[in-house]
Amino acid sequence: MAASKSIKKITALIMCTLLSVSVLSGCSGGTDFMNLNDDEEHYTLSDKITIPVKILRDINPATSSDADVYQVCKLTFDSLISLTDNLTPEADLADSWQFSDDRSSITFNLRSGIEFSDGSSFGADDVVFSFKAYQSASSPIFGSKINRISGVSSDGNSVTFKIKDSGNITISDFDFPIFSSKQFSSVSEFLKAKDKPLIGTGAYKMDSVDLDKKIELSANEYYWGSKPENNITLQVFSVDSLFPGLVNVGDISVSVYTSEDRDSLKGDSELNVTSFTSNQFETIGYNCASGPMADVNLRKAVSYMIDRKDILNSAYYNGGTINDDLFFPGYYGTEVKKYYSKDADNASDYLKEAGFAQVNSAGFVQDSDGNRLSLKLLVNADNPMRLNAANMIASDLFDNGIQVNISQVSSESYEAALRGGDFDMFVGGWKLDENMDLRKFYHSGFSNYAHYSNDKADKLLDSLMSGPDEETTKKTVEELKEIFKDDVPYLCIMYKTYAAVTSVNLQGTLAPRFNNYYYACEDWKIKLYDSKTSAE
C-alpha cells in the first residue's frame, strides 16, 4: 500500500522535472532546484522549511473559514480520493468506488493497514465521523461538497454516501480531509477544537499550534506513503506583500503569489519563480440570443480579430495561459489546441458569411442595407485589468472596421447586466471548483451568462455531473470542447497563473497546484552557507 502512493508521486515528479525550469505557463509543470550551486564545500542542508500563512483564527478544517487552512490540510490529512494535476480523481484512502445502479448512492472501499499520526488504525468509523463533523458545522470551506450528500453509513471496510441529487455529484466532491474519530469523545467536542493539533493520516503531523505565531509540523512516522525528509513551520504573517522579501533573506522558504503583476520577482537573481495554472479564468462572452452576435459567423469573425496574446501580455502582465474554452486547461488529459488565434483572412471570410461584406467611406463594415456594425461591450469598471482588456478588444475590432461602445458598470450592477442581456459582448472572470461544473456558463437551463443554447451540450454537461468514470468523462469533455469551438459562446482570454516564489537556496522539486500549493514538498531542503562563503 505504501508503494502505491509512493510510485504515483515519484511518477508525477519524474514528469515534472522533464518540463521547463524557471517560469512555467501550465499547471502540470515542476521545477527541479537540486543543482543550482555546485560549491558544496561551504554549505549544509537544513531540513527546516518555513511556509508563511496569513491570519489564522481556526485550524479545524470542518469549522474554519481561513483560506490558508485549505492548503494546510493537504499536509496533514488525506481524503478518500485525491486529484491529479489535470483534476482526474485517483485513489487515496479509498482504493475503489462504485455508484449504485440508480446513482442514488456511492460506496467507497477503504484501504486497509492505514494509520493515523498517533499510530491508531484508520477505518470506516473515521469517515462517518468526518462527514458528520462537516455536516454539523456547515463547513465554510468544504460545505459546497458536503451539501451534495444527504447521509453516510458503513459496512465493514466500506462507506456508502447517499446522494441528494444524482444529477449533481462528481467524484471530486469527495476530496475532503478525513479526521480521527478516536481523538475526541464526540463530534461536538471535535468542533470545539479550533487551536489544537488534530490527528490525520497525511505526510505530516501537527506537533503544536499557536494561532498567533506558528504551527509546527514534523514527519508522520506512520505515514503510508514516502515519509517526509523535513519539518515544516507554518509561520503567521499578517502582511502577505512582504512574503517575497522574506523569501529573499531566508526567513521563509516558499511563498505563493496570486497577483498577475509579478514581473519584478522574475528579475531578482535571489529568487526562483515557478508559475502554475490556477482555477481562475478571464473570458470574453458573446450574446448568443439577441443582437448581431447571435450569428455564429460573426462570433467567429470577431474571435479571429482579437489578439489574445497581446491582451494577456499587456492587460494581464502575462499572468496566465491562453485556453480554448472554460474547461481547466488539460482537464482529464484533454488537449489544448488554442483555436482562434488572430487571423485577418479568417476574420474577413466569416464577416462576409455574417452578411457584412461592405465597407463604407469611413472604413466601417456594413451590411447590404448600409447598416454599420456597432457592438456594445460590457465590462466591470472596478477591475482595471478587465477595463484595459476591453479597450484593447475595442481597438482590435476598430482596426477591422467595427465600432465598439464600452459599457462600464459597477461590480454590484455587473451580474444583473449580464443576466439582463443588454450587451453584445462582455469581459468577465470567475473562479471554479475542482468539479468543473460549467453549467452556469453553458447550460440553457442555468440562465448562463452568454444566453447560449445547445440541446446536445446541455445533455453532455448534465452527464458530467452524474459521476461518470474517467474514460467517459474525458470523451464527454472532448465532445463539448468541439461543440464550444463550433458555437463560440465564449473566447477564453486566459486561465490565470499563480507563482511559487522560492529562494535559490531551496533544493527539491516544486510541483505546485492551485489545490495543493505544497505538493511533493517532502524532500525540500534549504542550503545554509557558512560565514566563509558569505564573506566571499
Side-chain angles (χ1 to χ4, degrees):
M1 288 173 297
S4 174
K5 190 155 188 172
S6 302
I7 290 171
K8 286 179 181 177
K9 185 158 286 188
I10 290 169
T11 302
L13 295 181
I14 290 173
M15 295 302 295
C16 287
T17 55
L18 293 176
L19 300 177
S20 61
V21 178
S22 184
V23 179
L24 307 176
S25 61
C27 71
S28 59
T31 307
D32 188 355
F33 296 134
M34 292 301 293
N35 298 300
L36 294 174
N37 191 323
D38 292 329
D39 183 8
E40 298 183 0
E41 294 181 331
H42 304 298
Y43 72 81
T44 56
L45 286 176
S46 171
D47 63 0
K48 299 184 184 305
I49 301 298
T50 302
I51 294 174
V53 292
K54 292 176 69 176
I55 298 171
L56 288 179
R57 295 153 295 187
D58 181 356
I59 197 64
N60 189 325
T63 56
S64 180
S65 58
D66 299 327
D68 283 324
V69 169
Y70 178 85
Q71 300 296 339
V72 173
C73 286
K74 303 293 183 177
L75 299 169
T76 55
F77 299 100
D78 291 318
S79 306
L80 292 173
I81 60 97
S82 59
L83 300 173
T84 68
D85 57 357
N86 63 30
L87 303 183
T88 303
E90 62 181 0
D92 201 13
L93 291 177
D95 58 14
S96 63
W97 52 85
Q98 58 278 333
F99 280 92
S100 60
D101 291 341
D102 61 0
R103 316 296 285 184
S104 64
S105 66
I106 181 172
T107 298
F108 288 88
N109 304 305
L110 307 180
R111 295 183 188 273
S112 57
I114 304 295
E115 295 175 311
F116 284 96
S117 57
D118 66 345
S120 61
S121 297
F122 158 76
D125 289 347
D126 302 302
V127 180
V128 173
F129 176 88
S130 299
F131 172 76
K132 290 181 178 179
Y134 288 115
Q135 193 176 50
S136 297
S138 299
S139 174
I141 297 178
F142 298 97
S144 63
K145 302 170 187 284
I146 298 298
N147 288 341
R148 296 188 174 110
I149 305 166
S150 60
V152 64
S153 60
S154 63
D155 182 10
N157 209 35
S158 67
V159 289
T160 298
F161 292 93
K162 295 290 291 182
I163 298 166
K164 287 183 179 179
D165 180 356
S166 60
N168 191 33
I169 196 75
T170 68
I171 300 301
S172 65
D173 291 322
F174 294 90
D175 70 340
F176 47 84
I178 300 301
F179 315 121
S180 169
S181 61
K182 306 169 191 67
Q183 186 179 6
F184 296 90
S185 59
S186 65
V187 166
S188 60
E189 288 301 310
F190 169 77
L191 295 179
K192 296 176 185 177
K194 300 180 183 297
D195 60 356
K196 292 180 171 53
L198 299 177
I199 294 172
T201 60
Y204 294 88
K205 67 173 181 177
M206 290 188 194
D207 291 326
S208 63
V209 175
D210 184 338
L211 295 180
D212 294 324
K213 296 180 180 178
K214 61 184 178 180
I215 299 170
E216 297 285 1
L217 308 181
S218 63
N220 176 7
E221 63 179 302
Y222 300 100
Y223 186 49
W224 57 288
S226 297
K227 292 179 175 58
E229 302 170 13
N230 53 28
N231 300 309
I232 293 177
T233 297
L234 300 166
Q235 191 76 43
V236 177
F237 294 94
S238 59
V239 184
D240 56 2
S241 61
L242 299 177
F243 289 174
L246 294 172
V247 173
N248 196 308
V249 299
D251 286 345
I252 59 179
S253 308
V254 60
S255 174
V256 172
Y257 217 68
T258 59
S259 170
E260 293 93 340
D261 184 9
R262 49 180 182 262
D263 285 343
S264 60
L265 301 177
K266 298 174 186 176
D268 192 327
S269 61
E270 296 299 315
L271 299 175
N272 282 310
V273 181
T274 300
S275 294
F276 58 100
T277 306
S278 76
N279 57 334
Q280 294 179 259
F281 65 82
E282 295 284 317
T283 190
I284 299 163
Y286 302 118
N287 189 334
C288 299
S290 62
M293 300 307 287
D295 187 331
V296 66
N297 289 307
L298 186 55
R299 297 200 295 270
K300 290 181 178 180
V302 168
S303 297
Y304 277 120
M305 294 175 189
I306 296 170
D307 191 338
R308 286 184 290 169
K309 286 185 179 179
D310 191 25
I311 294 171
L312 174 59
N313 289 331
S314 300
Y316 295 101
Y317 302 98
N318 203 30
T321 178
I322 292 173
N323 199 40
D324 299 330
D325 44 56
L326 306 187
F327 280 110
F328 185 79
Y331 187 55
Y332 269 76
T334 55
E335 185 180 354
V336 177
K337 298 180 180 179
K338 297 186 179 179
Y339 302 113
Y340 297 108
S341 297
K342 187 173 183 179
D343 188 314
D345 291 336
N346 280 336
S348 177
D349 290 343
Y350 280 112
L351 202 58
K352 292 174 183 176
E353 290 289 329
F356 293 94
Q358 301 178 13
V359 178
N360 66 18
S361 59
F364 290 102
V365 298
Q366 60 185 27
D367 62 18
S368 57
D369 295 326
N371 298 311
R372 197 174 84 178
L373 179 58
S374 179
L375 301 175
K376 181 178 181 179
L377 175 57
L378 180 69
V379 65
N380 179 352
D382 302 331
N383 189 305
M385 291 185 180
R386 286 181 196 149
L387 188 55
N388 287 339
N391 284 313
M392 295 182 72
I393 292 165
S395 178
D396 282 341
L397 269 59
F398 183 83
D399 290 343
N400 287 270
I402 300 175
Q403 179 69 45
V404 175
N405 301 308
I406 298 176
S407 175
Q408 302 181 36
V409 299
S410 66
S411 297
E412 293 76 16
S413 304
Y414 182 74
E415 183 91 5
L418 285 177
R419 297 297 186 192
D422 185 21
F423 64 88
D424 297 307
M425 304 169 61
F426 67 83
V427 179
W430 288 267
K431 179 184 283 190
L432 296 174
D433 196 352
E434 294 100 323
N435 65 19
M436 286 290 119
D437 185 0
L438 294 179
R439 290 179 294 184
K440 68 182 289 185
F441 301 100
Y442 290 112
H443 197 294
S444 63
F446 282 70
S447 301
N448 69 79
Y449 300 122
H451 302 263
Y452 168 66
S453 180
N454 183 304
D455 290 342
K456 183 177 181 182
D458 287 351
K459 293 175 182 177
L460 291 172
L461 287 164
D462 285 338
S463 72
L464 286 179
M465 293 303 296
S466 63
D469 60 33
E470 180 179 343
E471 182 180 352
T472 302
T473 298
K474 182 177 180 180
K475 181 180 178 182
T476 302
V477 172
E478 288 173 337
E479 283 189 74
L480 283 166
K481 289 170 77 68
E482 284 297 313
I483 292 172
F484 299 151
K485 179 195 74 172
D486 293 337
D487 290 352
V488 211
Y490 300 87
L491 181 67
C492 186
I493 299 173
M494 67 162 189
Y495 253 79
K496 183 178 176 180
T497 54
Y498 296 160
V501 181
T502 66
S503 165
V504 293
N505 295 324
L506 180 75
Q507 291 214 339
T509 302
L510 263 72
R513 303 170 178 182
F514 77 83
N515 55 355
N516 193 348
Y517 289 170
Y518 315 115
Y519 180 80
C521 67
E522 293 87 356
D523 69 342
W524 291 357
K525 298 287 179 64
I526 295 289
K527 285 182 178 180
L528 297 179
Y529 289 90
D530 61 27
S531 58
K532 177 180 177 181
T533 303
S534 299
E536 293 173 352

